[in-house]
Amino acid sequence: MSKIQVGIVMGSDSDYDVMKGAAQALDELGIGSEMAVMSAHRTPQQAAEYFAGADGRGLKVIIAGAGMAAHLAGAAAAHTHLPIIGVPILGKSFNGMDSLLSTVMMPPGLPVATVAVNGARNAGILAGQIIGTGEPAVADKVKALRQKGTDKVLATNAEWQKNGPQAPKA
Ligand code: RP5
C-alpha cells in the first residue's frame, strides 16, 4: 500500500460523487490518499486542526472541494504552507460561479491552485505532477497517463478518417 501523501477534503458528503475523481486519479498514479469531510463553517475548529497538522503527518498536497461560497480550500491555505488545490463544486445556483470565485479569488500570499468546476480528476493529476517533481516514478506515471489521452485521440481520428465521424461509443 502506498504511503498517504494527499489529503482530499470536502465540505459535505454531497460532494463525494465529484471528489472521488481525485482519489481515482491518484490511485492510477500510485499515490496514496485519504478522504475526510470537514467544513470551514460547520466544523471550523476541526478543519483548522486538520490543515495545521497535515505537514506533520507527512501530507504533501491538500485537495479541497466545496460548493456554494464555502471556500474550504481558502480556509486550508490559511493554516498550512502545503500546496492547496481547490475544486469548486457545482451547486444549484449561479452555474457554479459562486464556488469558482470563492475558491480562485484568494488574497496575495495565499494561493489556491483552482481547477475547473467539478474538476476533481484534474486536481488529482495536478497533485501527482507536484509530487512527481521529487519522485521520478510518479512523474513517469503522469507522462504515461497523458500519453494514454494522446493515443485515444489519435486512434479516434484514425477511425474517423477511415470510416467517417461517429458519436462516441457508450
Ligand atoms: C458546502 O455546501 C458543501 O461543500 C456542499 O457543496 C454545499 C452543500 O452542503 P450540504 O447542504 O449538501 O451538506 O459547504
Side-chain angles (χ1 to χ4, degrees), residues 10-15 38-39 41-42 65-68 70 89-91:
M10 60 208 81
S12 167
D13 58 354
S14 63
D15 302 323
M38 63 192 65
S39 164
H41 303 98
R42 291 167 174 160
M68 308 182 79
I89 305 279
L90 179 64

Side-chain angles (χ1 to χ4, degrees), residues 120-170:
R121 180 171 174 80
N122 264 2
I125 294 171
L126 181 56
Q129 289 174 302
I130 293 168
I131 291 167
T133 60
E135 293 190 32
V138 171
D140 284 348
K141 286 194 170 146
V142 171
K143 288 180 206 166
L145 201 72
R146 293 166 65 108
Q147 189 59 49
K148 228 165 121 181
T150 302
D151 292 346
K152 185 168 183 286
V153 175
L154 291 175
T156 301
N157 190 47
E159 173 72 13
W160 279 30
Q161 299 317 309
K162 204 168 147 209
N163 297 319
Q166 299 155 48
K169 292 175 188 83

Side-chain angles (χ1 to χ4, degrees), residues 58-99:
L59 297 186
K60 297 278 185 291
V61 181
I62 288 171
I63 297 174
M68 308 182 79
H71 78 88
L72 182 60
H79 294 288
T80 177
H81 67 281
L82 292 178
I84 309 295
I85 304 174
V87 183
I89 305 279
L90 179 64
K92 295 190 180 92
S93 313
F94 305 109
N95 286 324
M97 283 300 285
D98 47 351
S99 179

